[in-house]
Amino acid sequence: MGKSYERIDGRLRAFIEAQHIFFTATAPLDGEGTVNLSPKGLTGSFAVIDELTVAYLDFAGSNAETIAHLRENGRITLMWCAFDGPPTIVRVHGRGEPVFRDDPRWAGLMRHFPDIDPSRHGLRAIIVVTAEKIRDTCGYAVPFMTYEGDRPLHGSRFERETDESLDAYFHKKEHVATSIDGLPGLPLPLPPLPPTT
């Protein structure tokens, strides 16, 4: 039923890269803290960096729970499931790190996302995950669903923002600079978006 893998390559990598949505799960160390589960999409915003490293773009939103949890403890699980084709679920358990706009690694990491215009979605971080455990399981109970396309709403909402107005937007949100449980979230003020090279 389930199988463990040493690396992300071959059929496993092809499956992950073909999915239109994946999910992230994180939690604080405090056993009473809030577990966070988030869906992630947008074509081109996920990349396999190497056999043990993946990354995805973290866009503007009303919360920054994943960032806060990763800053505190680094634990993260990513999950993909097939909504068409053979029933498959893949999980990557590992350690994640948010790379922010003023990090010298930013430009190099952005090269893995050539189809994304970083100015359109309020890009605030790149989440880099190093895999520690990679497993697949059956997805027999996952329903068939058809992908119709990416929603244009996120881009149309945030492409109007400048670095300054985006920073102001984040300052107004209760759980961006600080998580629901009071952990440090997105560092503010927001640094300018580096120029694309």
Side-chain angles (χ1 to χ4, degrees), residues 14-43:
F15 171 79
I16 287 173
E17 292 179 332
Q19 303 314 303
H20 298 288
I21 187 172
F22 65 99
F23 302 86
T24 67
T26 59
L29 292 177
D30 181 352
E32 299 299 314
T34 305
V35 175
N36 188 64
L37 177 64
S38 295
K40 303 294 179 183
L42 191 59
T43 301

Side-chain angles (χ1 to χ4, degrees), residues 8-107:
I8 301 167
D9 61 4
R11 180 189 64 80
L12 188 69
R13 177 172 180 164
F15 171 79
I16 287 173
E17 292 179 332
Q19 303 314 303
H20 298 288
I21 187 172
F22 65 99
F23 302 86
T24 67
T26 59
L29 292 177
D30 181 352
E32 299 299 314
T34 305
V35 175
N36 188 64
L37 177 64
S38 295
K40 303 294 179 183
L42 191 59
T43 301
S45 65
F46 174 84
V48 177
I49 306 296
D50 61 39
E51 293 177 336
L52 290 176
T53 312
V54 300
Y56 68 89
L57 302 180
D58 181 77
F59 298 116
S62 299
N63 294 294
E65 298 303 300
T66 300
I67 286 174
H69 296 160
L70 294 181
R71 290 182 71 189
E72 185 204 36
N73 62 64
R75 298 177 304 164
I76 189 168
T77 298
L78 308 180
M79 186 192 79
W80 297 261
C81 55
F83 294 109
D84 58 13
T88 303
I89 298 171
V90 172
R91 290 179 181 87
V92 170
H93 306 267
R95 294 284 163 179
E97 175 190 10
V99 174
F100 300 115
R101 291 171 163 208
D102 55 356
D103 191 297
R105 297 171 290 173
W106 182 275

Side-chain angles (χ1 to χ4, degrees), residues 104-114 116-118 193-197:
R105 297 171 290 173
W106 182 275
L109 286 168
M110 279 305 300
R111 291 189 192 102
H112 294 280
F113 307 96
I116 296 291
D117 176 353
L193 190 64
T196 53
T197 55

